[in-house]
Amino acid sequence: MGTENNISTSSERMAWRAAQELHDGDVVFVGIGLPNLACNLARATHAPGLFMIYESGAVGAIPERLPVSIGDPSLVTDSLAVVGQADIFQCLLQRGLIEVGFLGGAQVDRWGNINTTVIGDYANPKVRLPGSGGACEIAVHARRLLIVMRMGKRTFVEKCDFITSPGHRMNGKTRAELGLPGGGPTRIITDLGVLDFDATGEAVLSEVYPGVTPEQVRAACGWSLRVADSVRTTGEPDMSVLSLLRERLDPQRLYL
């Protein structure tokens, strides 16, 4: 894809929209995949002071190129510190020092619960997934949680087969009732639009991309998705952002 093509792809729109949620100076726990691209896009544009922490132990990472994994050597160069995973989770995350966390998964429900453990019955699953890693701790402790997932009936489900990472309500109980200290999910950024969470903790469609209707989003969702009274049409990444994504940040199309 050359830069002469000014039509953004769904992956480019998701990375760009996710980057808009990050502010200069935010402390963010960076995930791999599109969240990784979104964080590095934000740092290269409107949030040069974004403080990025990777699960592998890189604190204050400022990679010169897009890291391909949490163990990429580019994360070490010029980082503020490289520490053990125990320090990342116990000294930073569990102390409430992480402002923004990014997660995705195989399933998400209306309350923002995420499944990355199994599809089907836990004892006899159809698919065994990678599991939690640090996802549960991020969902529990981050002050803000952004979920980045492509929308479809198999991924946006009425009920997760297994709750790996808690959202706003699990088995009828709220985060406060369960004693979870973090703020919980604030937005779900999809390839069709953006879902916010209302005062009850339920996901509500608040934005659509140009050319997408609320009806299309509801048809792609596995539950009866509520729609905000006023649904915004979000913008599109401009040519400068597309060139940055395609030529500098991800020329090999690792995430795009």
Side-chain angles (χ1 to χ4, degrees):
M1 184 189 306
T3 55
E4 70 278 357
N5 181 0
N6 62 1
I7 299 175
S8 61
T9 66
S10 60
S11 294
E12 290 167 342
R13 286 192 294 271
M14 291 172 72
W16 169 79
R17 183 61 187 84
Q20 303 309 301
E21 295 296 315
L22 300 171
H23 312 116
D24 201 25
D26 276 351
V27 179
V28 57
F29 201 115
V30 186
I32 292 303
L34 285 178
N36 186 20
L37 186 57
C39 290
N40 283 277
L41 174 62
R43 192 175 68 86
T45 52
H46 65 277
L50 192 68
F51 195 90
M52 301 194 299
I53 298 174
Y54 285 78
E55 186 177 341
S56 57
V59 178
I62 47 175
E64 291 187 355
R65 58 171 174 79
L66 187 70
V68 298
S69 74
I70 61 171
D72 193 305
S74 68
L75 296 175
V76 175
T77 304
D78 292 331
S79 65
L80 182 64
V82 179
V83 302
Q85 284 188 320
D87 292 322
I88 292 290
F89 285 94
Q90 296 172 6
C91 299
L92 297 176
L93 187 57
Q94 293 177 9
R95 288 180 62 200
L97 300 180
I98 302 297
E99 292 175 322
V100 186
F102 271 106
L103 288 180
Q107 292 178 331
V108 65
D109 67 16
R110 70 177 72 221
W111 307 110
N113 297 307
I114 299 173
N115 174 22
T116 56
T117 301
V118 296
I119 300 297
D121 180 68
Y122 181 82
N124 187 28
K126 297 177 182 176
V127 179
R128 179 74 69 182
L129 300 169
S132 172
C136 182
E137 284 80 4
I138 295 169
V140 168
H141 293 282
R143 298 182 202 170
R144 287 194 290 134
L145 179 65
L146 302 171
I147 301 171
V148 182
M149 291 178 60
R150 295 184 182 277
M151 181 166 269
K153 288 183 178 294
R154 295 176 63 184
T155 51
F156 283 66
V157 296
E158 181 68 39
K159 183 179 180 181
C160 289
D161 293 346
F162 186 94
I163 296 178
T164 311
S165 305
H168 286 291
R169 188 178 290 268
M170 290 191 304
N171 300 321
K173 292 186 177 182
T174 65
R175 292 182 67 89
E177 290 171 329
L178 293 167
L180 304 181
T186 53
R187 288 209 162 119
I188 305 178
I189 296 163
T190 82
D191 53 334
L192 297 178
V194 177
L195 281 60
D196 287 340
F197 290 87
D198 67 11
T200 71
E202 183 176 352
V204 179
L205 178 65
S206 59
E207 296 179 33
V208 292
Y209 294 119
V212 177
T213 67
E215 291 72 23
Q216 287 176 298
V217 182
R218 295 192 81 228
C221 189
W223 70 83
S224 181
L225 178 64
R226 292 175 49 216
V227 178
D229 293 337
S230 178
V231 177
R232 304 183 297 277
T233 299
T234 193
E236 290 262 19
D238 61 26
M239 201 60 236
S240 65
V241 171
L242 293 179
S243 297
L244 182 60
L245 286 169
R246 296 169 182 176
E247 296 178 2
R248 176 180 157 193
L249 291 177
D250 194 11
Q252 295 180 318
R253 305 298 191 266
L254 296 175
Y255 304 129
L256 295 178

